Amino acid sequence: MMFKRFWERLKTNYLRGSPLHRVGRTKTLVSAIVCLSFLLFIAFTYHFLNSSPVHRIANPPEPAITCRMNNLQKSMFTPKDHTSKERLHIGARVLVFVESQYSKAAKQITSSLQYARIDYKLENTGHNLPTLTHSDKGRFAVIIFESLEAYVNMDNWNRQLLDKYCQDYKVGMIIFVHSADEYGIEKEKVPGLPLILRYNVAVKDYRLNAFTDIWRITKPGETVLDNIEEDDWVVFEYNHSTYEPLSYAKLAPPPYLNSRYIPDNSTVVCALLDRGTLDGIQRIFFGNDLSFWVHQMIFIDGISYLSHGKLSFDLERYILVDVDDIFVGITGTRMTAEDVEAMAKTQERLQKEVSNFHFNLGFSGWFYQHGTSLENAGDQKILEYRNKFWWFGHMWRHEQGHKFDQAKLETSMIKNYQFAKEHDIPVMHQYAVAPHHSGVYPVHEPLYQAWKNVWDIRVTSTEEYPRLYPSWKRRGFIHKRVMVLPRQTCGLFTKTLYIDTYPGGRKKLDDSIQGGELFKTFLYNPINIYMTHMGNYANDRLALYTFESVIKFVKCWTNLKLKQVTPLEMGIKYFEMYPEDKEPVWQDPCVYKRHLQIWSANKSCDRLPKFLVVGPQKTGTTALYKFLQIHPAILANYNSPETFEEVQFFNGNNYHKGIDWYMEFFPVPGNATSDFLFEKSANYFDGELVPYRVHSLLPKIKIICILIDPAKRAYSWYQHMQAHGDHIAGNYTFHEIITAPDSAPRKVRELRNRSLIPGIYVQHLQKWLEFFPSRQIFIIDGGRLKSNPVAVMHNVQRFLHIEPHYDYNDYLRFDSKKGFFCQVSSTNKSDCLGRSKGRHYPPMNETSVEFLKQFYRKNNVALSKLLSKHKYRIPDWLEKELSD
Ligand code: A3P
């Protein structure tokens, strides 16, 4: 509007008067326009640079945690060491009795155990007891009952057995007590114990009994001041010296006051230890479930105490706070010099609580000096203070790794590297984080290679392995010598900048700090890498607030020792603690949306097989492989130069090469719905980890295996090895091999095992059936494959639901010279398998036949049972074997 009016006025004034006058006026007008443009430019620039952060109403909250006890008082409560020799007689496992595994209490118990990485067995109370001992050792270190009813209502026989087990092996129980459902019942005596339960009470001012031997991680002395909002607490009354209170509280007015309520401020007992002086069994009773955060601490200390230290946690907690996106933030939300000062000061304070504490800054150099003048001064201040902090390379322009090839990634990294050199940034720790977790998992191989080439990266972290949620199941793994550590979120993201607009309100953040999700990461994880962003240190500086608060809170309530070590040391520690995590488990990147978002658009999950022929070796797998390929809708893998046609991905070291490597073996199918990619690797069948790995990557895949008489399979393998000039097979008879004792030379034992073990079909099949439903597994009778492959191929097609349905009569024909069915070639010739398939060799001698009959008998019986249970047809050879 303003411009319009100005223009109108200019037009009328300018056009009025003589042309001569107009020349003079033109000059004035031009200079006016130049001046105006200049002023406008200045105004816009100023506005752009300085006025966009109008929303910047920094209102940093102050950490409001104060411990009731001072340092001197705290030092009186030293953590207890629960280790005693009793722990030598029990296993590191917990037995959990539940009434239903889906109940809230049961889920809380199992997720806490999972969080603590404590191995457990879940049992439904109505069932028989599991075996409690194994060669004179107790299998379980602690018994947990989801509810007291589950314990007292146990059938007498089981209860006696369990009590006796606990007495003999000094194994304790944890029992959760819940309020009676019917509101009429106020008090009840526990049958068989001098203990009275008072139901449905509300409590406040919860505190711990400092004078008990249980506290290890938990530090007594503080009080939860608020009312604890529920009125479903059970409190304990007793009159026997075996009981020792673990926690007290004051009675609180119930949240829904009724007219009959009489104020009562008396102290009650909320968690109780039975020291076992009465019946020889130690028990911990909880008057509520694990929703109450203090109970989580008592729970893990209780497990440590009752297991005599067998299931004790270390007190050390290694933490690293990453600050991603340094220089990257949107203008108006970036750090100013003041913010940098605040960060450095907080770091100094935190160094008193966490030994060697340094914020770990991840920078993207391209964004340096891309903010307002205030923010640019902030950037400069960060560099001025560079030696106060730790640093890692992020990406030059914050690129997502999965979108680029190795050359482009390296170029970007090199620029960031040069930026670090130019500004003398101390990047020292062989650690990097990928923006958006991109390329770390699902693995983008070029990223790992570029990291190695440019920065020599050895450690990284992600929240995406195996998945973001549940957070307590995040794990680490090692790929291409890079240790990938699990990463924790702390409730702060790129967009959480102000306390007033914190999603869910400030209370949500405070709850997470004070006993909630963030506190629990400290409680349960020995190693924590937290993810924060630059914006969390500007604006309301929520990261400073959060970490200062949570660390204070942890110090008030726990004996945990907080430390920082280099990422490399952290990685080494993590995999020392959890060596089982070293090997990654690959999953289909297209199944989980978050994974798909950070997976290259050039890759396709259609390049994964729809079915597998898994073996075992020497059962006719090559014949089946060949016959399958006759079908136009079936596409086999490309041949591997190392293992002939077989890819052998899931069973050996190839698995570590990752799924990009695996996918390279498959063509991109013309039609992903109707084309069937497959591969055959005959030693998948008996590979220990194979069913698990296959299921993780391809849960819907179909599996085909072939079973022949295992004795014949063993003999065929021996012949195969002899034909390949194997030294051992050449120097030992078949009988010597299969009867070789464990004292035989290693190579002999190896040949013995490869001959015999794959034939213990029942064991291997059971493993597959643990992971796949029987409808996904097809079992071919290997004898039939030899004698009637046409019928077998008919059934295979039906199992795969493949179209068009081929009549293999047109494609297979018996070749009397070969003695087997062969493919009919386009010129109507027999295209048989090579000389190494369908060999001629003398029949097995009788003593070996007899030995193998005995050797496999028990397993074959079990196999027929397993097959019947899953409604499979019993192979002819097995019928015959069992009827002999
Ligand atoms: P032998 O050579 O001991 O007779 P695999 O391919 O799994 O290694 O199995 C090889 C076995 O497949 C051969 O073992 C042979 O008995 C069997 N086989 C089944 N059908 C066949 C066919 N049509 N042609 C060749 N061998 C076949």
Side-chain angles (χ1 to χ4, degrees):
M1 278 300 279
M2 238 173 63
F3 268 104
K4 212 171 157 195
R5 241 183 279 145
F6 171 74
W7 179 242
E8 290 303 329
R9 208 178 297 155
L10 196 73
K11 247 186 353 187
T12 38
N13 287 343
Y14 179 68
L15 294 174
R16 236 186 274 143
S18 71
L20 224 139
H21 274 106
R22 255 187 249 158
V23 174
R25 277 203 296 269
T26 305
K27 274 190 189 159
T28 328
L29 186 70
V30 168
S31 20
I33 288 174
V34 168
C35 284
L36 196 68
S37 313
F38 183 70
L39 282 174
L40 276 174
F41 173 76
I42 297 285
F44 270 119
T45 315
Y46 184 80
H47 175 83
F48 200 72
L49 289 180
N50 286 314
S51 66
S52 57
V54 272
H55 58 281
R56 181 191 277 276
I57 324 153
N59 178 25
E62 281 292 314
I65 311 290
T66 38
C67 294
R68 232 166 54 97
M69 289 193 306
N70 60 34
N71 282 343
L72 186 69
Q73 288 166 320
K74 275 189 218 159
S75 65
M76 285 162 47
F77 301 109
T78 48
K80 295 288 184 290
D81 177 4
H82 298 137
T83 41
S84 74
K85 65 177 184 350
E86 315 292 357
R87 78 182 195 291
L88 303 174
H89 308 293
I90 47 179
R93 215 172 176 212
V94 163
L95 177 60
V96 186
F97 285 100
V98 293
E99 288 187 302
S100 152
Q101 58 189 17
Y102 304 108
S103 73
K104 182 178 160 210
K107 280 195 199 149
Q108 282 174 343
I109 294 167
T110 50
S111 49
S112 291
L113 292 172
Q114 285 165 10
Y115 211 155
R117 299 185 74 150
I118 292 176
D119 189 17
Y120 64 87
K121 178 163 177 56
L122 205 62
E123 263 318 300
N124 271 73
T125 31
H127 296 175
N128 283 342
L129 286 186
T131 321
L132 296 172
T133 55
H134 177 69
S135 36
D136 248 19
K137 226 177 148 188
R139 290 180 64 213
F140 303 103
V142 177
I143 315 288
I144 300 175
F145 283 92
E146 172 207 350
S147 69
L148 180 63
E149 292 83 67
Y151 178 52
V152 292
N153 296 339
M154 220 174 193
D155 87 73
N156 238 344
W157 174 252
N158 283 346
R159 164 92 185 256
Q160 276 174 22
L161 274 180
L162 193 67
D163 283 356
K164 174 123 185 28
Y165 170 77
C166 290
Q167 285 152 353
D168 290 353
Y169 289 91
K170 305 272 181 297
V171 163
M173 293 177 180
I174 290 180
I175 301 174
F176 290 88
V177 189
H178 308 286
S179 275
D181 288 338
E182 308 92 85
Y183 256 70
I185 305 175
E186 270 187 22
K187 280 193 182 186
E188 209 169 10
K189 185 180 170 308
V190 178
L193 298 175
L195 183 62
I196 290 168
L197 312 174
R198 187 169 158 194
Y199 294 134
N200 296 314
V201 286
V203 297
K204 63 178 181 180
D205 298 352
Y206 191 103
R207 68 200 153 84
L208 300 163
N209 173 13
F211 305 99
T212 146
D213 287 339
I214 289 203
W215 310 135
R216 177 171 167 75
I217 286 182
T218 317
K219 186 184 288 178
E222 304 297 323
T223 305
V224 182
L225 280 174
D226 306 331
N227 278 6
I228 297 157
E229 269 172 26
E230 312 295 328
D231 64 345
D232 61 348
W233 282 75
V234 177
V235 294
F236 302 96
E237 295 173 7
Y238 49 86
N239 190 8
H240 195 285
S241 60
T242 192
Y243 296 117
E244 180 178 282
L246 293 179
S247 65
Y248 309 99
K250 291 260 169 73
L251 284 178
Y256 312 104
L257 273 182
N258 66 34
S259 53
R260 288 186 303 142
Y261 176 73
I262 307 159
D264 179 354
N265 203 23
S266 41
T267 297
V268 287
V269 172
C270 304
L272 185 71
L273 170 69
D274 176 349
R275 284 182 297 202
T277 55
L278 192 67
D279 63 359
I281 304 173
Q282 293 201 318
R283 301 180 183 89
I284 291 176
F285 294 96
F286 284 89
N288 209 324
D289 58 26
L290 292 173
S291 328
F292 181 47
W293 65 272
V294 182
H295 280 184
Q296 302 240 354
M297 293 199 297
I298 306 179
F299 182 65
I300 53 174
D301 276 352
I303 290 178
S304 164
Y305 174 81
L306 295 173
S307 69
H308 311 282
K310 184 88 187 181
L311 297 170
S312 243
F313 262 120
D314 257 351
L315 294 172
E316 264 138 14
R317 294 289 179 273
Y318 296 91
I319 63 168
L320 182 69
V321 179
D322 284 350
V323 189
D324 292 354
D325 303 349
I326 286 289
F327 309 130
V328 181
I330 300 166
T331 311
T333 67
R334 298 159 59 124
M335 289 172 84
T336 62
E338 247 181 74
D339 294 328
V340 180
E341 293 280 2
M343 186 182 200
K345 287 217 174 83
T346 307
Q347 176 172 286
E348 264 171 43
R349 284 196 298 277
L350 286 176
Q351 279 167 350
K352 296 194 183 98
E353 311 288 348
V354 183
S355 72
N356 200 26
F357 182 83
H358 292 87
F359 285 111
N360 197 25
L361 312 190
F363 65 100
S364 291
W366 186 85
F367 296 89
Y368 180 63
Q369 299 290 280
H370 272 62
T372 64
S373 51
L374 279 178
E375 291 167 349
N376 289 344
D379 284 1
Q380 288 159 21
K381 193 72 171 178
I382 298 181
L383 288 189
E384 185 190 325
Y385 280 7
R386 63 192 177 281
N387 289 319
K388 290 182 190 285
F389 304 117
W390 285 6
W391 291 83
F392 65 89
H394 212 31
M395 273 307 223
W396 172 241
R397 287 188 74 159
H398 201 253
E399 297 95 326
Q400 294 191 326
H402 72 279
K403 294 184 177 163
F404 300 95
D405 62 18
Q406 193 181 320
K408 293 232 169 71
L409 290 173
E410 285 189 11
T411 311
S412 163
M413 286 180 197
I414 288 168
K415 281 185 180 156
N416 224 24
Y417 181 84
Q418 277 161 351
F419 177 86
K421 280 210 131 182
E422 274 160 31
H423 293 89
D424 190 27
I425 296 175
V427 185
M428 296 187 298
H429 294 129
Q430 293 175 288
Y431 175 76
V433 172
H436 305 273
H437 308 270
S438 149
V440 179
Y441 190 86
V443 164
H444 185 58
E445 300 292 348
L447 175 71
Y448 283 73
Q449 202 52 48
W451 264 347
K452 184 167 180 266
N453 294 353
V454 180
W455 290 103
D456 193 19
I457 295 303
R458 294 289 316 282
V459 195
T460 182
S461 59
T462 183
E463 56 182 28
E464 296 297 345
Y465 178 74
R467 277 180 177 219
L468 179 65
Y469 295 120
S471 58
W472 63 84
K473 283 194 179 168
R474 282 180 217 152
R475 297 283 184 265
F477 66 93
I478 302 178
H479 183 61
K480 300 276 159 74
R481 286 186 71 239
V482 175
M483 294 183 272
V484 181
L485 297 179
R487 194 165 170 80
Q488 312 300 329
T489 41
C490 62
L492 302 178
F493 303 94
T494 35
K495 287 183 184 147
T496 32
L497 305 179
Y498 300 99
I499 193 75
D500 300 340
T501 52
Y502 186 83
R506 177 176 186 158
K507 184 168 181 317
K508 182 138 192 255
L509 180 59
D510 285 342
D511 284 351
S512 170
I513 291 167
Q514 297 175 35
E517 206 178 318
L518 182 56
F519 171 74
K520 278 181 211 149
T521 60
F522 283 81
L523 184 63
Y524 285 104
N525 293 327
I527 288 174
N528 282 299
I529 299 181
Y530 293 101
M531 179 173 73
T532 63
H533 298 89
M534 186 196 196
N536 308 133
Y537 296 79
N539 314 297
D540 275 357
R541 300 176 194 152
L542 290 185
L544 301 183
Y545 170 75
T546 301
F547 281 98
E548 219 171 350
S549 303
V550 74
I551 286 167
K552 274 194 176 171
F553 194 82
V554 167
K555 290 272 165 165
C556 283
W557 279 94
T558 76
N559 291 311
L560 295 174
K561 296 185 186 107
L562 307 182
K563 293 183 174 176
Q564 182 165 330
V565 291
T566 63
L568 197 59
E569 286 171 284
M570 256 183 154
I572 291 166
K573 268 196 189 310
Y574 180 91
F575 290 105
E576 267 170 17
M577 262 178 221
Y578 308 118
E580 67 281 11
D581 283 5
K582 281 184 190 167
E583 292 217 341
V585 181
W586 308 125
Q587 303 162 98
D588 184 341
C590 300
V591 167
Y592 184 44
K593 210 172 107 202
R594 291 180 63 92
H595 286 165
L596 190 55
Q597 278 166 355
I598 49 172
W599 204 50
S600 169
N602 303 329
K603 298 178 193 173
S604 158
C605 295
D606 296 340
R607 277 182 95 176
L608 287 169
K610 279 195 188 149
F611 72 95
L612 294 177
V613 176
V614 296
Q617 286 164 316
K618 308 316 291 174
T619 56
T621 54
T622 316
L624 179 64
Y625 179 72
K626 187 116 200 259
F627 299 163
L628 282 164
Q629 289 178 81
I630 296 173
H631 199 290
I634 297 179
L635 307 173
N637 57 284
Y638 303 129
N639 286 356
S640 158
E642 287 139 39
T643 45
F644 306 102
E645 77 264 15
E646 297 194 347
V647 184
Q648 300 196 3
F649 175 64
F650 293 103
N651 55 317
N653 283 337
N654 286 338
Y655 189 70
H656 302 132
K657 295 180 179 160
I659 58 170
D660 285 3
W661 180 88
Y662 186 48
M663 284 182 175
E664 287 294 316
F665 280 92
F666 296 96
V668 180
N671 182 337
T673 355
S674 58
D675 288 349
F676 280 65
L677 300 188
F678 88 107
E679 61 126 339
K680 181 272 288 191
S681 293
N683 46 11
Y684 282 170
F685 180 73
D686 51 300
E688 178 71 17
L689 291 169
V690 177
Y692 168 57
R693 286 175 170 176
V694 173
H695 185 261
S696 304
L697 182 63
L698 303 159
K700 297 213 175 103
I701 200 167
K702 293 194 170 177
I703 309 290
I704 299 177
C705 59
I706 310 171
L707 304 183
I708 63 167
D709 178 351
K712 285 192 182 154
R713 201 214 70 82
Y715 192 48
S716 171
W717 179 254
Y718 172 81
Q719 292 297 339
H720 172 80
M721 294 306 280
Q722 224 179 32
H724 274 79
D726 178 72
H727 181 64
I728 302 294
N731 284 327
Y732 290 79
T733 65
F734 179 58
H735 195 71
E736 283 167 336
I737 291 295
I738 56 176
T739 56
D742 284 342
S743 54
R746 185 173 57 85
K747 293 253 175 207
V748 174
R749 277 182 286 127
E750 273 171 13
L751 181 56
R752 176 196 68 183
N753 294 347
R754 276 291 339 127
S755 304
L756 296 178
I757 290 173
I760 306 176
Y761 298 142
V762 64
Q763 267 178 22
H764 310 302
L765 194 58
Q766 213 140 25
K767 267 252 153 67
W768 285 96
L769 285 164
E770 262 173 43
F771 291 93
F772 293 95
S774 53
R775 69 182 131 70
Q776 274 175 252
I777 302 176
F778 189 68
I779 297 172
I780 293 176
D781 177 340
R784 286 193 176 210
L785 179 66
K786 259 189 212 173
S787 62
N788 190 357
V790 171
V792 168
M793 293 312 291
H794 169 76
N795 291 336
V796 168
Q797 288 178 82
R798 278 189 11 174
F799 165 69
L800 295 174
H801 298 295
I802 204 160
E803 291 292 337
H805 194 93
Y806 256 42
D807 181 356
Y808 270 78
N809 271 312
D810 301 341
Y811 304 98
L812 301 178
R813 159 172 85 197
F814 187 76
D815 184 284
S816 48
K817 201 162 146 224
K818 176 80 178 171
F820 285 94
F821 274 81
C822 301
Q823 190 179 338
V824 182
S825 75
S826 53
T827 51
N828 201 22
K829 293 216 171 93
S830 284
D831 182 5
C832 299
L833 297 186
R835 271 191 303 150
S836 64
K837 304 291 167 184
R839 288 196 176 92
H840 296 285
Y841 38 79
M844 208 188 309
N845 64 42
E846 267 315 302
T847 41
S848 298
V849 171
E850 206 37 51
F851 175 84
L852 290 174
K853 205 180 198 52
Q854 292 311 319
F855 181 85
Y856 284 118
R857 182 148 190 95
K858 224 170 78 199
N859 295 308
N860 282 341
V861 171
L863 175 67
S864 96
K865 283 189 187 149
L866 184 72
L867 293 176
S868 305
K869 185 176 151 203
H870 290 279
K871 306 211 167 32
Y872 284 112
R873 193 181 157 279
I874 307 291
D876 297 342
W877 61 265
L878 184 57
E879 289 261 32
K880 185 170 169 297
E881 192 67 33
L882 297 175
S883 62
D884 277 358

